[in-house]
Each structure stands twice: as structure tokens, then as C-alpha cells.
Amino acid sequence: MESQALFLRTLRGLDGKPYSGYKALKGEYHLGFYNLSVDYVQSDPFAPPTRIRAKLPMDLLQLSANDIRSLEQKIATEDFLTRRLASALSELGAKRRGSGRSGSILIAVPGQVMLGRSSVLITTETIEVRMSIGLPANGRRIRAKDAEAMLLEDLPYLFDAAFSRSTFPFGELFSQIQLYIDQCALRKSLTDSGLIAFIGEGAILARRSGVSDLPMDEAMAVPFKSPDSLRVVKKLPSGRTISGMGIKQGVTVIVGGGFHGKSTLLHAIEQGVYNHVEGDGREWCITDSQAVKIRAEDGRRVSRVDISGFINHLPRGRSTTTFSTQDASGSTSQSAAIVEAIELGATALLMDEDTCATNFMIRDARMQKLIVKEKEPITPFVDRVRELYDQLGVSTILVIGGSGDYLDVANVVIDMDEYRPYDFTEKAKIVSKQLPVSRQKEVTVPLNPIRARHPHPQNLRNQLERIEAKAFPTLHVGDEFVDLSALEQMVDEGQLRAIAALMRYALNTYVDGSVPLRTVVEKSIQQVLNHGFESISSNEGCSGFYTLPRSLELGMAWNRVRSLTIR
Ligand code: ADP
Ligand code: MG
């Protein structure tokens, strides 16, 4: 650790010199109020910014070891401190200090979800902040005075504004921790109660717009109200009791007229795998942590997936037990997505008719008559959905307004009417009896057991430097653009960055063609939980811009890399 005097001497000596001179600052310094690590120095003012870490003494806040003992407390606290920093920074305002990114201070800005983040790391002694800064320049010349002001005035000011004990909102922190713990406990308790999802009474599900994750204005939004027959009550660790609609394991069908809130409800269920912040409206929308949104995604690559339970005897005798393609159709992509999700450990499938392949979902009596089974490769999902639950324990929640065939296979039918759910299970049974479906069930053989597949590093080992998160939701792998827009439960850019870093890490460590994909992704996530993001970072220090994905999204990303070899 170098002294402030040395730091200043070095920096002042660089004034007016070519920008690359900043490289001399790489190192660790004791700057009075905090310790600064300069881990990576940008090569010019327009290049990706300089990566630093600032270590502040925990005395600043005096959080007690008790407050941050468990992993859950730690995640909630680090998330909260990141939010404090982001709002302090937005108040400080952007100070530009010269050309390019000169003078910019960049920290992660969390959205509506509380997640494990690399932006702040707390230990019993320190608060470590990971951020990026644009070192100031005039053209391509160093502006040492401005750099000094940034590091010795702006940053301390920012840290003081965010973390100073005298102004810190301890009440809000403790309520965020409590909320996070309650949400985790509620999620864990779902399984014991035979539930897949829970939607709290009064929840605001609707969002402000199609491109915003913020809640719709209270004046416009219809708060959620559970039907009496589906209401469950939960007692949480904080002592709080919460009631809401429970969606049971099995097959649940959400019906209702167009524009009555079906997709909005399903979206809230999808997002319920995460914990939302106070004020989001979905604080008590809690879903089984392994629930996966499934959709059709034509054009995607599929590698060696057994989709024979859904698609069989393709034209020209093409195999579907180890199905591979660089250009899947709607139905083959959706079948593959289901099988891959179960392989990765999914406990529930979430589907919305808006994004499903119709021919995969249903095949009615008339079509069965017109196109004989031998000429139709697809076994519609309606004929497998019960089997998935009965044989594999995988539940399905399905939005479907257009086909009554699903009424026969549903355990529960929820009708959305003017944004209010009604329990239509009994009504649906009556309708099913009155109007029996004349179609034939098309299943002749049971689903094959789900097979583990093994990623092999051969094409990717020399691309490690070139696995990068670019524009969300696209991943770069070498020259390839991997479109991850079908990963609808990937919530932010930080997860995409973490996915890129975790892929590099796994390729470097344990992907060797013998480890199943599910193990690869679960081990990767466990690595971060046990040893932090710094342990997967291939560079010195740690970027402050990672958020933790689920192992499921990580696996879904692996599955979409075209150059990956699967055994
Ligand atoms: P569906 O899938 O049934 O066609 P959507 O879920 O897409 O309907 O919702 C239709 C519109 O209604 C959307 O613009 C959505 O924002 C709005 N909306 C959904 N739920 C609510 C609610 N609870 N209160 C107010 N508006 C809502
Ligand atoms: Mg819809």
C-alpha cells in the first residue's frame, strides 16, 4: 500500500503528458479517508473506463457483525448500499472534466430487484466499493488537477453522502433486510405447501409501460385480489402475516378475455423468482425459484436435445432423440426449451399463448382428421402437460385464451376479468362435461427420461478473451452474436455480464466434456455465492457491474452458443 504523498507526486508529475501515462497509477494507495486500488487503467479517454475499488472502514457505518451474518442479510445490505451510492451519485450530478469519458463516475444502478451484486462488498472491517471512472483528459493529454479533485474530493464526498452514519437511513436498511428475508422464507415455504407461486393481496402487477419496470400509477392500477377459494395465509420470519392467491403445483390455466390482465399476471409470476424492493408492488409476488419462462424462439440453435416426446418422425427420417439444428422452428425451439429447462432443474414451466407456437400447443379434432398422425411430427403440449407433472413433478402455468382443450388437463382454471382473478375450476369442469372434446389423445409412448448433456470446450477455449456482454441482451462469443432475448427472466445487464464472466470461468476451470451442463452452471453460481464475484473475475480486482443470474439463465445462455460442442 502506497502513501497519499506518493500518489500525489506520481499524479501531479503526469500533468499534460500523453494519456497512457495514467498507467503509472495502477496500484494501491492509502488516501486518508479511504484506500484506493487502481486495478485497470483505460488506454485513452474514449476507451472503456478505468476500474477502481475503494475500501472504506466499516466504522463509517458501524454495522454490527450481527446485521450481516447470513448470506441473505449480506446480499440485502450490499444491494441497499449500492442503491445509496447510485442515488448519492445522481444528486452529485455528472461533472465532466474534459474530453471523452473524462470525469465520469460510474456505479451500478439497481432496478426493481434486490440481487447479489459485485458493486459493494461488505466484510466485518470494510465496505469495498467497485466502480469505474473516466480519468480526465484534455484531448489526449492528462489533466492531473482534475484527476486529483475526482479522487480526493468527489469520491470522498460521494462516500460520505452515501454512507455517513449521521445521515444514513438505518430504518430503511433494516426494513429492506427484513423484507428480503421474509421474501426468501416465503419462497422456500411454497414447496412445503404444495405451491408454485403466491401473489399477495393488494399487489400492483401492472407496470407503467411496456418498457418500464416501475409500477403503474396507483390511481390507474387495479390492485390484486385473490379469489376466496385460492387464498392462502403465510406467517413470515418477521412476524408479519401475509395473505394472497396460491397457485398449486400441477397444471394451472389462466383464461380470460383479451386485454384483461392475463399476460401481466404471468409476467409477475415470472419475475417472482426474484425479490422486489419496497414500493415495487410485487413485493409479495413470490414464485418457486426454479420456475422457467418458456417460449417459441425460431431461428435459435439446438444441440443434441431429445425432443422426441414432442416431435417425432420429421421429414426424411431426421432424428429427434438427439436433435440438433442451427435454425429451429417455433415448435422445435419450444420443445427444446422445455427439455433443456427440465435438464437444468426447472420445477415449473411458465407459458403465455402470446409467445408460444400454436401448432405445438394444440391440434384439434378437425386437424387430426385432415392431417393423419403419421404426417404430423408434433405431439401437442396439451397431451404431455399432465405427464410432465405426474411423472417428472414439473408444473405448468399457462395463459391460454384461445383453446378450450386445456380445460381437460388443468387442475385449476383462473379467469382474469377486468384485472381480477376468479376461480373458474368448477365452471370449467362443467363446460368440459357439456362440450366434450372429440380430439384423440396423441401420446402413444411415455416421455424419455431427461438426459444430461456435456459441454465440451474445444471451440471455445481460445475464444475466452472474446466472451463478452455487449448490448443487452446479446452476448459476444468470438465472432458470434448470441441472442438471449428469449431469456425473459434475465432482468439486467449485470446478469448478462456475469453470464459472460461465468462462462469464461467455467471454461477455464471445469468444462472438459465430462461434466453435465447442469453441474457446470450450478457449480458456477455456487462459486460466486461462496467466494464472491472477485473469484470468477479474470482481471485484477473486480468489476462493479455484475449481478447474480440464476443457474437456469446461465444454462439457457450456454445452450444458445452456436459454436459450443455438446456431447
Ligand atoms: P391480456 O394478456 O389478458 O391480453 P395484458 O396482461 O396484456 O392482457 O394487459 C392488458 C393491459 O392492461 C396492459 O396494458 C396492462 O398494463 C394493463 N393491466 C394489466 N393488469 C392491470 C391491472 N391490474 N390494473 C390496471 N391495468 C392493468
Ligand atoms: Mg396476453
Side-chain angles (χ1 to χ4, degrees):
M1 178 93 50
E2 307 292 348
S3 68
Q4 176 162 341
L6 178 83
F7 177 76
L8 286 177
R9 217 176 318 125
T10 314
L11 179 57
R12 288 173 185 165
L14 293 173
D15 195 39
K17 298 235 167 89
Y19 200 83
S20 59
Y22 269 135
K23 300 257 183 219
L25 290 182
K26 202 163 175 272
E28 280 187 69
Y29 306 93
H30 185 65
L31 300 187
F33 179 59
Y34 72 105
N35 291 342
L36 170 73
S37 299
V38 181
D39 295 320
Y40 164 82
V41 181
Q42 65 200 108
S43 50
D44 76 77
F46 302 89
T50 295
R51 225 175 38 238
I52 63 170
R53 285 171 299 145
K55 260 191 204 163
L56 307 152
M58 188 47 105
D59 304 358
L60 194 65
L61 267 182
Q62 296 174 12
L63 288 178
S64 83
N66 255 349
D67 296 328
I68 48 171
R69 212 179 22 203
S70 71
L71 185 62
E72 287 171 2
Q73 288 171 319
K74 195 167 169 283
I75 289 176
T77 305
E78 290 171 347
D79 178 278
F80 188 84
L81 297 185
T82 305
R83 288 170 199 276
R84 283 291 293 172
L85 271 171
S87 70
L89 181 62
S90 83
E91 273 164 38
L92 178 69
K95 272 200 199 123
R96 285 179 52 93
R97 295 175 183 274
S99 49
R101 295 178 195 261
S102 288
S104 52
I105 299 176
L106 305 162
I107 48 180
V109 181
Q112 297 298 95
V113 174
M114 294 180 262
L115 277 173
R117 302 179 187 282
S118 65
S119 42
V120 171
L121 172 72
I122 46 174
T123 66
T124 43
E125 286 92 42
T126 59
I127 306 172
E128 182 176 311
V129 178
R130 286 86 172 257
M131 58 204 302
S132 292
I133 58 170
L135 287 169
N138 228 347
R140 286 193 159 77
R141 302 258 153 203
I142 289 174
R143 281 164 70 147
K145 271 222 167 58
D146 286 337
E148 191 177 324
M150 263 186 97
L151 293 163
L152 290 166
E153 288 167 31
D154 295 359
L155 288 189
Y157 179 87
L158 178 68
F159 298 144
D160 191 62
F163 301 143
S164 166
R165 199 172 162 70
S166 56
T167 51
F168 191 82
F170 285 96
E172 284 174 33
L173 168 65
F174 295 132
S175 77
Q176 168 151 323
I177 297 175
Q178 195 58 257
L179 175 62
Y180 191 85
I181 291 174
D182 276 353
Q183 290 167 328
C184 291
L186 177 52
R187 188 171 296 106
K188 280 188 197 121
S189 80
L190 292 179
T191 314
D192 296 334
S193 330
L195 298 176
I196 281 295
F198 177 93
I199 296 121
E201 215 62 72
I204 302 297
L205 309 187
R207 299 294 97 188
R208 194 162 291 174
S209 77
V211 292
S212 170
D213 204 29
L214 296 171
M216 185 181 271
D217 272 347
E218 296 254 348
M220 313 231 303
V222 178
F224 190 82
K225 189 170 180 327
S226 172
D228 292 337
S229 56
L230 301 178
R231 187 172 294 121
V232 289
V233 177
K234 289 277 184 179
K235 186 134 176 64
L236 302 173
S238 64
R240 127 173 81 189
T241 307
I242 205 107
S243 85
M245 180 173 89
I247 297 186
K248 290 201 189 65
Q249 294 168 359
V251 179
T252 302
V253 173
I254 300 170
V255 300
F259 225 63
H260 278 258
K262 302 183 299 294
S263 295
T264 304
L265 170 61
L266 191 77
H267 185 70
I269 295 170
E270 285 160 46
Q271 298 298 311
V273 300
Y274 300 116
N275 294 337
H276 289 90
V277 290
E278 185 79 58
D280 175 81
R282 298 169 297 184
E283 293 91 316
W284 305 110
C285 293
I286 300 289
T287 304
D288 187 290
S289 63
Q290 302 295 101
V292 175
K293 176 70 182 287
I294 299 288
R295 56 169 298 160
E297 186 190 355
D298 53 313
R300 67 159 284 199
R301 88 82 75 135
V302 174
S303 181
R304 305 182 69 82
V305 179
D306 180 358
I307 58 167
S308 62
F310 299 104
I311 316 265
N312 232 317
H313 44 77
L314 284 178
R316 304 178 175 199
R318 194 160 161 193
S319 157
T320 55
T321 53
T322 44
F323 179 74
S324 300
T325 179
Q326 288 290 346
D327 184 10
S329 64
S331 55
T332 49
S333 65
Q334 197 169 347
S335 321
I338 290 171
V339 176
E340 289 168 341
I342 299 173
E343 179 193 344
L344 290 169
T347 51
L349 309 175
L350 312 176
M351 297 189 199
D352 190 328
E353 60 180 355
D354 292 352
T355 50
C356 287
T358 308
N359 58 348
F360 176 76
M361 301 306 285
I362 48 171
R363 204 161 106 79
D364 67 11
R366 284 186 161 168
M367 267 309 162
Q368 287 184 328
K369 194 135 219 171
L370 188 65
I371 310 291
V372 293
K373 174 69 190 140
E374 291 65 42
K375 290 285 172 203
E376 172 53 88
I378 304 173
T379 300
F381 187 66
V382 68
D383 287 335
R384 289 287 186 200
V385 63
R386 283 241 54 93
E387 187 184 357
L388 283 176
Y389 182 65
D390 296 336
Q391 301 306 317
L392 304 175
V394 177
S395 300
T396 298
I397 302 175
L398 183 72
V399 167
I400 194 141
S403 168
D405 291 3
Y406 277 89
L407 300 184
D408 291 333
V409 292
N411 297 104
V412 173
V413 177
I414 296 168
D415 170 53
M416 289 303 285
D417 184 354
E418 311 247 344
Y419 314 129
R420 285 264 155 86
Y422 296 87
D423 184 353
F424 263 28
T425 312
E426 292 310 315
K427 230 181 195 168
K429 277 191 189 137
I430 296 170
V431 171
S432 295
K433 265 216 188 87
Q434 284 173 345
L435 292 176
V437 169
S438 54
R439 68 183 292 278
Q440 302 292 313
K441 200 166 180 234
E442 296 186 6
V443 168
T444 47
V445 288
L447 278 167
N448 286 335
I450 305 285
R451 195 173 59 212
R453 293 169 310 134
H454 304 77
H456 192 278
Q458 63 190 21
N459 296 333
L460 295 174
R461 236 228 184 118
N462 49 13
Q463 301 286 357
L464 287 186
E465 296 307 311
R466 302 179 63 212
I467 302 182
E468 272 181 286
K470 283 279 155 106
F472 185 80
T474 303
L475 199 65
H476 283 204
V477 177
D479 295 326
E480 187 189 332
F481 293 80
V482 185
D483 177 10
L484 299 183
S485 52
L487 279 59
E488 293 179 18
Q489 289 164 293
M490 179 166 73
V491 280
D492 71 14
E493 252 178 291
Q495 288 185 321
L496 182 70
R497 290 196 196 93
I499 285 173
L502 286 164
M503 275 187 179
R504 286 194 299 262
Y505 174 79
L507 282 164
N508 251 333
T509 49
Y510 42 75
V511 172
D512 63 1
S514 76
V515 185
L517 181 60
R518 179 172 177 180
T519 311
V520 167
V521 295
E522 287 180 352
K523 262 176 99 167
S524 305
I525 300 298
Q526 209 51 50
Q527 174 71 23
V528 176
L529 291 174
N530 294 345
H531 305 288
F533 284 102
E534 52 282 6
S535 76
I536 57 148
S537 182
S538 47
N539 308 311
E540 213 161 307
C542 182
S543 154
F545 297 87
Y546 295 130
T547 45
L548 193 65
R550 297 188 303 168
S551 64
L552 293 152
E553 274 69 36
L554 181 56
M556 291 163 89
W558 276 103
N559 276 323
R560 283 166 177 75
V561 177
R562 289 174 193 271
S563 46
L564 175 69
T565 308
I566 297 254
R567 291 233 163 122

